[in-house]
Amino acid sequence: MRQMFLLSAGLIGALTLASCSKEIDKEAVERALQDVNVIDESNLNNVILNSSDPNEAVSYFQRSVAKNPDRIDFNRGLAGSLVRAKRYTEAVSAWQRVVALPESGDADRVDLADALIRTNDWAQAKTVLTSVPPTHETYKRYRLEAMVADSEKNWKAADSFYETAIGLTTTPAGVFNNWGYSKLTRGDYTEAERLFGEALRQDPNLFTAKNNLVLARGAQRNYSLPVIAMTQTERAQLLHTMALSAVKQGDVSTGEGLLRDAIDTHPQHFDAAARALEALEKG
């Protein structure tokens, strides 16, 4: 707002001076007005990118880029809205256009790597992240570095990157969950369980961490639900996950009992659990 006021005051001063001399510099006035419009558009861009329907945002930024193809804010808005709309292949192309613009920076390359990971292009994502200097130390950069290291089964590097990412954010629940899932895929179930617990301490409503915690316990043949906050529907879903884990471990009778508990617990008809139980009973 202060920036808007200063621009407006400057514009009024320019107009006043020009009226006194009877020589209005129309080009100067237009430039001043254009500066005001840029600030208004920047605010509007943020509102549209963060609040509007993702596909509506894509349409808005596509029109804006068509009119101003070299405006980096419009190009960033288009790339970001394509990611939000889960149109990842298009998002990669959009972020590549952003990175090609002269005003682009390291954060744009990190966002390009993020889009590449979403299309499973891990090799190219690694190449892009390698091009980002080590001085660019951000939460997003290290979270992506950890995911790339995971994809290569470079566990030592992954652990280091996850730990660094956690230290760079005030909301580390998602990183703890990702790190826990990494440990789960390695077969380190005890450590995975601990990390999922950390995720839930940071965000008690993170259902993916709840589900992953149950998977980690089930992999250790611990078929009791953890003592965590959960709704009745979540409890039923977690019992279903535990049941499938038990069946996978060969504990079929335990799995059948857990499926019956899931069906009884769910406030509505639990079709997935009912079908799984029917298949076990027939098998």
Side-chain angles (χ1 to χ4, degrees), residues 76 95 99 103-113 128-138 140-141 144:
R76 281 177 180 144
W95 278 118
V99 167
E103 306 114 293
S104 68
D106 295 328
D108 297 312
R109 281 182 277 281
V110 171
D111 284 326
L112 170 57
V128 172
L129 286 172
T130 301
S131 73
V132 178
T135 51
H136 184 75
E137 296 182 305
T138 64
K140 187 170 187 177
R141 189 256 176 88
L144 297 180

Side-chain angles (χ1 to χ4, degrees), residues 181-253:
Y181 192 79
S182 172
K183 294 286 188 178
L184 188 63
T185 60
R186 306 179 209 177
D188 190 350
Y189 305 128
T190 303
E191 183 63 8
E193 184 176 350
R194 184 188 72 80
L195 288 165
F196 294 136
E198 288 291 342
L200 289 170
R201 271 187 279 279
Q202 297 291 329
D203 182 358
N205 297 316
L206 187 61
F207 181 74
T208 54
K210 297 178 187 180
N211 201 61
N212 287 336
L213 176 57
V214 166
L215 286 173
R217 290 166 70 90
Q220 301 171 77
R221 282 192 157 90
N222 180 352
Y223 301 128
S224 61
L225 289 182
V227 181
I228 54 175
M230 66 184 84
T231 66
Q232 188 176 350
T233 299
E234 286 179 335
R235 182 179 180 84
Q237 291 170 330
L238 295 175
L239 285 167
H240 177 242
T241 297
M242 187 73 81
L244 297 182
S245 182
V247 171
K248 184 178 179 180
Q249 298 283 355
D251 299 327
V252 178
S253 60

Side-chain angles (χ1 to χ4, degrees), residues 21-281:
S21 63
K22 306 292 185 182
E23 295 178 359
I24 298 177
D25 185 346
K26 292 184 179 180
E27 289 185 5
V29 172
E30 288 177 1
R31 282 196 300 272
L33 285 171
Q34 188 176 33
D35 288 340
V36 174
N37 289 338
V38 166
I39 292 171
D40 287 342
E41 285 175 350
S42 296
N43 292 333
L44 179 60
N45 291 347
N46 289 331
V47 169
I48 290 174
L49 182 59
N50 295 314
S51 303
S52 106
D53 174 82
N55 286 301
E56 289 180 3
V58 168
S59 297
Y60 166 80
F61 285 113
Q62 282 175 332
R63 292 191 299 270
S64 299
V65 168
K67 294 177 182 177
N68 300 275
D70 296 327
R71 279 276 296 272
I72 196 165
D73 56 337
F74 288 151
N75 280 279
R76 281 177 180 144
L78 176 58
S81 59
L82 284 165
V83 170
R84 284 187 63 218
K86 297 181 171 32
R87 294 161 61 174
Y88 301 132
T89 301
E90 294 171 83
V92 168
S93 297
W95 278 118
Q96 286 171 334
R97 286 194 296 273
V98 171
V99 167
L101 292 171
E103 306 114 293
S104 68
D106 295 328
D108 297 312
R109 281 182 277 281
V110 171
D111 284 326
L112 170 57
D114 176 84
L116 287 163
I117 286 173
R118 292 171 191 270
T119 62
N120 289 316
D121 192 346
W122 296 94
Q124 188 59 30
K126 181 179 181 179
T127 299
V128 172
L129 286 172
T130 301
S131 73
V132 178
T135 51
H136 184 75
E137 296 182 305
T138 64
Y139 156 70
K140 187 170 187 177
R141 189 256 176 88
Y142 285 110
R143 180 174 61 84
L144 297 180
E145 294 274 20
M147 294 169 68
V148 170
D150 266 340
S151 74
E152 298 177 329
K153 297 185 178 179
N154 186 351
W155 309 130
K156 184 177 180 180
D159 289 342
S160 176
F161 286 135
Y162 279 125
E163 188 171 8
T164 302
I166 285 168
L168 292 172
T169 179
T170 57
T171 55
V175 186
F176 276 120
N177 182 58
N178 288 354
W179 195 0
Y181 192 79
S182 172
K183 294 286 188 178
L184 188 63
T185 60
R186 306 179 209 177
D188 190 350
Y189 305 128
T190 303
E191 183 63 8
E193 184 176 350
R194 184 188 72 80
L195 288 165
F196 294 136
E198 288 291 342
L200 289 170
R201 271 187 279 279
Q202 297 291 329
D203 182 358
N205 297 316
L206 187 61
F207 181 74
T208 54
K210 297 178 187 180
N211 201 61
N212 287 336
L213 176 57
V214 166
L215 286 173
R217 290 166 70 90
Q220 301 171 77
R221 282 192 157 90
N222 180 352
Y223 301 128
S224 61
L225 289 182
V227 181
I228 54 175
M230 66 184 84
T231 66
Q232 188 176 350
T233 299
E234 286 179 335
R235 182 179 180 84
Q237 291 170 330
L238 295 175
L239 285 167
H240 177 242
T241 297
M242 187 73 81
L244 297 182
S245 182
V247 171
K248 184 178 179 180
Q249 298 283 355
D251 299 327
V252 178
S253 60
T254 300
E256 288 180 354
L258 289 166
L259 285 171
R260 291 190 183 93
D261 288 346
I263 292 167
D264 292 340
T265 300
H266 204 287
Q268 298 172 329
H269 175 64
F270 197 170
D271 187 57
R275 283 189 282 106
L277 181 59
E278 183 181 2
L280 286 176
E281 289 174 340

